[in-house]
Amino acid sequence: MYGRYTQDLGTFAKDEAARLRLQEGDTPRPHRPSELLEYTQGRCGPCRVCALQCQRFLISKVGEDWVFLILLGLVMALVSWAMDFAIATCLQAQKWMYGGLDTNVLLQYMAWVTYPTVLITFSAGFTQILAPQAVGSGIPEMKTILRGVVLKEYLTFKTFVAKVIGLTCALGSGMPLGKEGPFVHIASMCAALLSRFLSLFGGFYENEARNIEMLAAACAVGVGCCFAAPIGGVLFSIEVTSTFFAVRNYWRGFFAATFSAFIFRVLAVWNKDEETITALFKTRFRLDFPFDLQELPAFAVIGIASGFGGALFVYLNRKIVQFMRRQKTINRFLMKKRLLFPALVTLIISTLTFPPGFGQFMAGQLTQKDTLVTLFDNQTWAKQGVSDEFEYLGILEAWHHPRANVFVTLVVFILMKFWMSALATTIPVPCGAFMPVFVIGAAFGRLVGESMAAWFPDGIHTDSNIYRIVPGGYAVVGAAALSGAVTHTVSTAVIVFELTGQISHILPVMIAVILANAVAQSLQPSLYDSIIRIKKLPYLPELGWGHHEKYNVRVEDIMVRDIRYVTLNCKYRDLQQVLHGTKMKNLPLVESAESMILLGSIERSQVGALLSSQLSPQRRLLTLRQKVLSEDGHRLSDSSIRFQISTETSSGTPARPALRKPLKPALKRRVPSSPPDSPPAGSTDHTGIALKSLFCANATTDPTEAHGTPYHKAKRVRISIVEEMILGDKMTPAEILEWEEQQLDQLVDFSSAKIDPAPFQLVEHTSLHKTHTIFSLLGLDHAFVTSIGRLVGMVSLKELRKAIEGSLTGKGVKVRPPLASFRDSTASTTEADTTALQQLWDRHQHHHMPREAGPGGDDDDNTPK
Amino acid sequence: MYGRYTQDLGTFAKDEAARLRLQEGDTPRPHRPSELLEYTQGRCGPCRVCALQCQRFLISKVGEDWVFLILLGLVMALVSWAMDFAIATCLQAQKWMYGGLDTNVLLQYMAWVTYPTVLITFSAGFTQILAPQAVGSGIPEMKTILRGVVLKEYLTFKTFVAKVIGLTCALGSGMPLGKEGPFVHIASMCAALLSRFLSLFGGFYENEARNIEMLAAACAVGVGCCFAAPIGGVLFSIEVTSTFFAVRNYWRGFFAATFSAFIFRVLAVWNKDEETITALFKTRFRLDFPFDLQELPAFAVIGIASGFGGALFVYLNRKIVQFMRRQKTINRFLMKKRLLFPALVTLIISTLTFPPGFGQFMAGQLTQKDTLVTLFDNQTWAKQGVSDEFEYLGILEAWHHPRANVFVTLVVFILMKFWMSALATTIPVPCGAFMPVFVIGAAFGRLVGESMAAWFPDGIHTDSNIYRIVPGGYAVVGAAALSGAVTHTVSTAVIVFELTGQISHILPVMIAVILANAVAQSLQPSLYDSIIRIKKLPYLPELGWGHHEKYNVRVEDIMVRDIRYVTLNCKYRDLQQVLHGTKMKNLPLVESAESMILLGSIERSQVGALLSSQLSPQRRLLTLRQKVLSEDGHRLSDSSIRFQISTETSSGTPARPALRKPLKPALKRRVPSSPPDSPPAGSTDHTGIALKSLFCANATTDPTEAHGTPYHKAKRVRISIVEEMILGDKMTPAEILEWEEQQLDQLVDFSSAKIDPAPFQLVEHTSLHKTHTIFSLLGLDHAFVTSIGRLVGMVSLKELRKAIEGSLTGKGVKVRPPLASFRDSTASTTEADTTALQQLWDRHQHHHMPREAGPGGDDDDNTPK
């Protein structure tokens, strides 16, 4: 198993190791001793020796993980702090402009609206020009990358710059956007760049497996230094990006995230912003009696409502994106003027939040940070009886409207911010949705808390002591619940504790978060999974929680039985037929059609290469030359040498740049590291008639092929020029066709092809559950099903996805999303009956044939409520 | 892959499902309709129908995961609370006795010493008699079980009872023992029993994979309800028991642990112990300025010192165990009187803590809980200047000695408790080491804190406000650091926050815990891993942190090349030779010795069964009978029928009890579920001469064989009796031998043997890193190495362990434990050189032969300091 990757990697690593050893053994060593000799003669010889040893020692240390993690933490803390500073300055500038123009409302409005529009437009334009990959959250992409898929250009320096600057501008505009998701992406890019930089000191960072581990740690650092929440950061990044998690990565994450959070907060202290290291949004709730047991139902209500709200948010966000895509006319117009959509959205949102206008009903003048600080406030805003009217001081004043209740302000705030956030996160700038959702959740919690406080002015507790209700605590619970519902995580609870610096509300928070998750997971995918589906990134859905049916579906029920294969003793014509007949990227290689013993798998591109080599003009040339040679001696020998050289260089050059890109995994390296004797995959146009039809048919379907194209094209052109010089048109098309037909009837020589000697195998009886586990653990995208060495079928990601997502599996059972069981606990009596019936019916049928299609079975994309 | 388990499980599940369906379809269904018919006639017909539907609905719900998790949480909360109550009562009784006898010191001493001795002795005896598996922590065993290994009798009701009662008595004695580890075990047993109970309502709980997932959740519940720390519980259980963690289990853990912690704390409120739900050891530290930035070095010192302390604790604990085992004379004496050792240890410890005696210098009268409460106290104990002498009130008084400083008391406490705890945890009673270590850590932190407070009476901060140092905060940090160092976890930080209800010291705690881990991991394995090694449980060591060499070791360097195999066309004689020649539990089945194409793997016991079936007396009997039949008609027919029946019953009975044990995985089920036509593995004594030598050679080496023995023995005896009656001694030994020789030359018929059709395969180039990942992910214990279908070698857990633990791998590289790089950052310059040399040397040698032994290379069992 893993043969394909490992063999390549193996070869590569060996070459690389040999190269490094040679370099180390030959190039610097003779250099250094000579240097040493030179100086040992002089006075400061020992000094030099010592310095050199130190240098060597330091370089050897650079390879250590902890050095890398500390550097990563340090860099990210600095980036985070600098960005926070820049964002704060931007927001201050807007406030200052707005405040300075208080003589004229129109001017004020102009300033209030223009400033964010310009910033967002700049951000969108800048990102679009420099690196369109920087748009959006980045968590979906990181999840895909950590699954082992290569996304081009997602971890480059250009994207890093675009993301940092774009994000700073976007957040500086005061729009309801977050920085958490982008920070995960920024930290990952930082890790990738850092490992590339450190690999200048040695080859330690060349390894793919290690780089993936470092990326996982980097995700934790991203969240950790964004919120100064190391524990929550690690957990959140695990939940959001992984299906299976190696506990050893957990260490790395903790180490780096703690260091990063520490530096991030120390910078604030050094900058005199804070007196000492404390939480970002520190709360001061009562410690001795944080909440009453009888308040728990209210917290549960917050949780359930947040679950529905979270699902609605995801749904709304997706619908907006889909609407924008579907409306061709709008779309075409907006596409032409790419910056119009961001500008328009910003205009609408900032107009509505204009403080002297509608903004007065929704605390429009507060920044996101101020909003959170006020919502987590320790006091009760609602009227407590008649006598004590609450004094709104400082920034709290924003929530106070002379003619409206605080409840009205809160409700308006929640409703407006809800759609604004869902809309704003679709703008093509680097932005996340966590923070806006967090704020909305806090406001909702506050609303419930204030209502409770108004309902029970003296608290619920009937004993001697009066413990008033703390609405701030409700706000904390609401924030955790809603953000948990949108992202489908429970670690938002931990983030909330770390953000507020208080853990006294642990049980209400946990209860609300779990309930919110239960509801949201049964209605919608998480925001990140939703984006993954919208962007059509490869993914494997999660297995459901709680349904035992999934344990009864087996591989034999979902596998594809009718697969094309290559036999060891086949002819080139068979290869051609197989390539014509299937679109599979990997073809099984069996001993013979009778025994069907699986020997390995061979890539489609390799089969293509075998074919093209067989039908290649070079071979034809060779045949021709031999014929000619036998006719008239050594006439062509010098040109054949020329040809030889030209292929050598063309296949030799691309090997160099690959060394400078340690993060590109095996898939990308394969092209340069292929042995130089293997012929090019594509061949000249005027030859290979049989082949031409083949490649025309496949050009659009096979990404690996398309991938290698620029290199192949260059080679192809060069070869054809050389060849043209030599041959001209010595053979007529009819002759060529005849020659090719003749060639196709030869037996295939597999010696030059790269064969994966141990493709992943499953047995017919492997359960869907186990198959899913193995696929997600090992990041497979296909596996062959064998029975005592005999190939009987194949399962790919597609079949698995179909089986899991409920489009009816072989046994008529649908498997549902996590926690789905919570949803239909009221209406599933009939379902149980039909399942039993179907099972009875299936008893007579199964074991023999897989059934692909069947009566509907909803997928989990259904609408909420 | 996974073929062995899945096929068995598959077959079993199908049979089982069929059985259940039949049962459901035939037995109760005809019953119910008749019942229905009877009542539909009557008045309350609709009621009955409704009730039946409700019943069926409820039963269908029982299969849901969340029902299971809620039940588990509820049960564990009740168990935890009841045990806490019982323990508190026990401790109260001791205090009451001690207090009541204050007229006579001798009587007081007698009471103080006798009470715990009796309790511990009872606990040890009770556990020993009922279930010796209940002894100790249980976390090491759970780690092994979650890895997929079957430990007999570890999850039974008997063990549950023994553990609960034994633990209550042990903790009630007031010895320095903990309840965390045992609680993990108790929760797991609870889950196992619960799933067995719930399987009475349906077959949902029969699945092994699901049960393993539930066990993982149960571990979290165990920690969660022990400390009322759901988040910390989940994380701790992950760190302690897993190498790879499925994020979907994380959900289950959170859900169940939160529910459990909630109920556990609600019970306390209902019992009027608490006013509302709060933390177990609530602290009231200052929120606005929890600590100064300049105090961080002191926290770091606590972390580093705790790291050394933790390693020393593990070392001491192991040495005590090893000493007790090695001293043959002491050991024999103690073994004879099994209860003497516990009694002796208890006597010593309780004598030393006797409050009027030496105990006055170490707060001996405080229980573990009181000690923690006092250590986390908010006040400063040391003298603050001259004027304000601190008043020791309430239980704090225990720390005050009229003639000794508080520093002296603390130092004595730490030193004494350290060895006492290390000693006490070796007593053969159910007990954990977490809590004692936690207390010692808290005391150490307090010591540092008090020192700091004495050094800086007005705090370090030089600004306007005076912020005094809070020694309680240091105690919290120390507790987290030491317990983290002993268990090699960072989640003790989270546990500490949840236990104290304050998160204000998050950064100091995180820094100290990480430093402590860094130091401890480089010196010693974790306490649990240490116990795993002492108990010789199967394990796979962790891969190191930070060493890139491990990426360069490949499977071909460590695999065993010279393996025995079974060919498809072999003779029985070959099977016999293979069994003689190897001790492997699984033999590869290849097509032929020339092609070496791997077809599958066959278990050793199956090969044995094939052989014994070929040489079995039944077959001989059959041959004989046929001969006899042709001679003199039907003389033996009735006795042959009798024989038939007797084998039927003997192989039929064991199938029944297996159904009642859903948690026993496939390995154990295999014996009863083997088809009744396959003959018994062992055969009669006076026959099977060739076989006898075989089984004599293997009896001691093969546990699977030994496992099946009682059943086989019973069968064997019965058969031999029957046979004796029929045949007497119709064949002479010489005849038998001749017949057997003849049989051995026949070709093997594999049709009756169970073959794993897709054993796990690796390629030669797979890296050690990836191999380790795959082994630990999938819980493998061996894998075959193939190259294009050809078998070239095998890797088992043993080779892998050897390679990882540094006993020199193929490339002369040792891979070290996590964080080991911290240790030798001072002394590894020379090592780098030698490694480079060795690599150079190895270049000429590797690729050709695996080298098993090599020059030393320490394993990580080395002594601290």
Side-chain angles (χ1 to χ4, degrees), chain A residues 14 21 64-65 213 243 245 247 251 276-277 291 293 498 501 503 506 521 757 769 777 821 843 847, chain B residues 14 21 64 213 243 245 247 251 276-277 291 293 498 501 506 521 546 554 769 777 788 821 843 847:
Chain A
K14 265 184 194 163
R21 245 178 278 143
E64 306 267 340
D65 280 1
E213 288 180 0
T243 318
F245 195 74
V247 175
W251 287 97
T276 185
I277 295 177
F291 61 93
L293 211 57
E498 292 183 275
I503 202 170
I506 178 162
Q521 292 195 7
H769 183 255
L777 274 175
S821 52
R843 251 169 78 196
H847 275 285
Chain B
K14 267 183 193 163
R21 247 178 277 144
E64 308 265 341
E213 288 180 2
T243 317
F245 196 73
V247 175
W251 286 97
T276 185
I277 294 177
F291 60 92
L293 212 56
E498 291 182 276
I506 178 164
Q521 292 195 7
R554 300 218 186 78
H769 184 256
L777 274 175
I788 320 195
S821 52
R843 252 169 75 196
H847 276 286

Side-chain angles (χ1 to χ4, degrees), chain B residues 417-449:
Chain B
K417 282 281 174 184
F418 196 86
W419 68 262
M420 281 180 185
S421 303
L423 181 61
T425 46
T426 65
I427 299 177
V429 292
C431 65
F434 187 89
M435 244 358 218
V437 167
F438 195 80
V439 171
I440 296 168
F444 176 67
R446 184 95 207 176
L447 181 67
V448 175

